Amino acid sequence: MAVIHHTTLTPTKLELLTAWLPTRPWYRGGQAGPDLAKAGGFRLDDPEGAVGIEFMVVNDNSGGRATAYLVPLTYRGAPLDDAGHALIGTAEHGVLGRRWIYDGCHDPVLIAELTALIEGHVQPQDQNTTDTPDPHVTRSYTATSAEAPAIGTTDDAEGTVLPGPPGTTLRLHRVLHEAAPLPPEATGHVTGVWSKPDGTQSHGPFLTVHPHN
């Protein structure tokens, strides 16, 4: 069970993401850079209790209109081997000390727990409260018997493709769209909520599951 510490993080997650987001191929903002605000998300528990796992939604209010981005993050007490390309930055945690913060799509612990969520083996957890399931995050999945070779994690202009349950790939929707329809070929999804800048809530898919081609 992850324990949520209500303490300081220096620099903050939003400060780190302000520098990192414009380097991503799916970033939709302009050259002036993002103007970020936290908009929602959820957490998953690492069974070993060593890695923090957060699916964070941020609103970018630059450019005259808000864009909601989904950013999976992992927090570690030491660097992850062979993952320098996925490092968002380091920060000092008021209780835990130095933390290495990664794009979680490249972290095997997050991928394993995300797969367990899709398959219905674990519950999504509230982003801000210890040991509290998040009822706003829902999932569905139709298993396939097909086996397929393992794939890596790839960013493109639309989001991130990463490995899913056997025989599938996941499409992580980095840019979130309210009530977006699911692709007809999808065999599963994870859906959540996030806040608009005016305080009203949006609802839509965070990721979809696809048969491996």
Side-chain angles (χ1 to χ4, degrees), residues 7-182:
T7 185
T8 58
L9 192 70
T10 309
T12 67
K13 288 178 275 190
L14 291 181
E15 288 170 338
L16 290 173
L17 291 177
T18 296
W20 180 78
L21 277 174
T23 69
R24 301 298 93 195
W26 36 263
Y27 176 66
R28 304 293 173 85
Q31 294 183 345
D35 175 19
L36 299 181
K38 184 178 176 181
F42 67 98
R43 290 180 178 263
L44 294 174
D45 283 340
D46 170 18
E48 302 297 324
V51 179
I53 304 171
E54 180 179 13
F55 288 76
M56 186 176 185
V57 181
V58 293
N59 281 326
D60 176 12
N61 300 306
S62 64
R65 63 182 181 87
T67 302
Y69 294 103
L70 176 62
V71 187
L73 302 170
T74 56
Y75 309 94
R76 288 175 167 267
L80 175 62
D81 291 343
D82 301 319
H85 63 288
L87 182 67
I88 293 174
T90 60
E92 292 297 323
H93 189 279
V95 175
L96 301 174
R98 175 155 293 189
R99 309 301 287 172
W100 280 257
I101 302 174
Y102 289 93
D103 176 1
C105 290
H106 297 267
D107 193 315
V109 173
L110 181 143
I111 292 174
E113 293 313 303
L114 179 58
T115 298
L117 170 65
I118 291 166
E119 294 178 328
H121 302 315
V122 302
Q123 285 187 306
Q125 298 294 306
D126 186 86
Q127 191 175 27
N128 303 305
T129 308
T130 299
D131 195 24
T132 303
D134 187 339
H136 302 294
V137 179
T138 60
R139 42 74 57 192
S140 72
Y141 174 56
T142 301
T144 174
S145 60
E147 293 292 334
I151 67 165
T153 298
T154 306
D155 282 329
D156 58 31
E158 299 301 321
T160 304
V161 176
L162 62 158
T168 71
T169 57
L170 306 181
R171 162 65 68 174
L172 191 83
H173 301 281
R174 295 290 199 163
V175 179
L176 298 178
H177 298 284
E178 185 174 16
L182 298 176

